[in-house]
Amino acid sequence: SMLPEKSHVLIENPLTNDQTHLRISLLPNMLKSAAANLHKLDMLKFYEIGRTYIREPSQYFPKEEKYISGLILKEKMPTGKEIFYEALGVLQTFFDCMRTPIHFKDAACPPPYAHPAKCAAGAYSSSRGDTKQERQIALVYEIHPQMLKNFGVNAAAAAFEINFSQLAALTRQETLYAPLPRFPGIEIDISTV
């Protein structure tokens, strides 16, 4: 499925033969669902919230984080439109609603299941004194054609991944509300000649 084998955690006593590894991405399960449902509809949009487990050589326990992933599939894309920009628009709207200032730029290291030329990273910038820190918390990409072929999906497809664990830890802008006045003022416009 084009996901790196070395990052997976192997389960010692799996319940079934096709569930022998802990997942490092939510994308494969979403593509399985898409392949099962795409013949009923020519367009699919759905998301999943779940945990991923990535093995790191320096640590005994795998890195466990919560992700929000979304998938958009269309069998027939209008001429001149790209599904990548539709997924990017969804992600930008999400961060606007969350009041989290995220800027997007070309991904430095796109994952192997992403189209290398159509992949952007969403980063959050914070400043402390003279130091400026940037943290990548989102990724939006068009899915690699080989990945779609592996799952039997014949459609244009784009996805996004948001590291919800990191997003929840960010300091967000506080929204301040002022109470309504107990006795509202009355404005009168008087004209004199």
Side-chain angles (χ1 to χ4, degrees):
S1 65
M2 298 181 73
L3 274 73
E5 177 72 26
K6 65 179 181 179
S7 300
H8 284 84
V9 177
L10 191 65
I11 299 172
E12 288 185 6
N13 189 14
L15 295 174
T16 61
N17 290 337
D18 62 341
Q19 295 179 343
T20 57
H21 297 74
L22 293 178
R23 63 185 179 182
I24 64 169
S25 172
L26 305 181
L27 184 63
N29 283 344
M30 290 197 300
L31 283 174
K32 280 183 190 175
S33 298
N37 292 292
L38 199 57
H39 66 281
K40 300 173 190 170
L41 300 164
D42 61 350
M43 181 184 72
L44 290 172
K45 293 180 180 180
F46 54 96
Y47 72 95
E48 182 180 352
I49 300 174
R51 296 191 182 279
T52 61
Y53 307 87
I54 298 175
R55 185 176 65 175
E56 292 187 338
S58 60
Q59 296 179 351
Y60 181 75
F61 291 105
K63 184 167 75 172
E64 178 183 342
E65 292 182 307
K66 189 176 272 191
Y67 273 83
I68 302 173
S69 290
L71 184 62
I72 301 173
L73 295 102
K74 288 186 179 179
E75 281 191 321
K76 296 171 186 170
M77 278 301 292
T79 308
K81 301 265 183 176
E82 288 199 38
I83 200 159
F84 168 78
Y85 293 108
E86 191 169 335
L88 181 61
V90 169
L91 202 53
Q92 286 173 325
T93 303
F94 173 81
F95 285 120
D96 287 346
C97 291
M98 293 287 291
R99 296 180 182 270
T100 307
I102 300 291
H103 63 276
F104 289 90
K105 59 182 181 179
D106 289 340
C109 298
Y113 48 83
H115 193 294
K118 297 175 185 175
C119 183
Y124 176 83
S125 298
S126 61
S127 299
R128 283 189 178 177
D130 294 339
T131 58
K132 188 175 181 182
Q133 294 179 333
E134 191 173 82
R135 188 186 312 179
Q136 180 181 317
I137 62 168
L139 199 64
V140 59
Y141 50 88
E142 193 168 309
I143 299 172
H144 198 288
Q146 185 60 47
M147 184 79 163
L148 296 174
K149 189 177 177 182
N150 291 350
F151 282 88
V153 175
N154 186 19
F160 61 82
E161 300 173 5
I162 304 166
N163 189 324
F164 188 70
S165 298
Q166 290 187 17
L167 179 63
L170 293 179
T171 54
R172 282 184 227 89
Q173 299 172 351
E174 282 191 31
T175 305
L176 301 175
Y177 296 95
L180 292 172
R182 188 169 175 195
F183 302 105
I186 299 171
E187 293 183 9
I188 300 173
D189 188 12
I190 300 175
S191 297
T192 59
V193 179

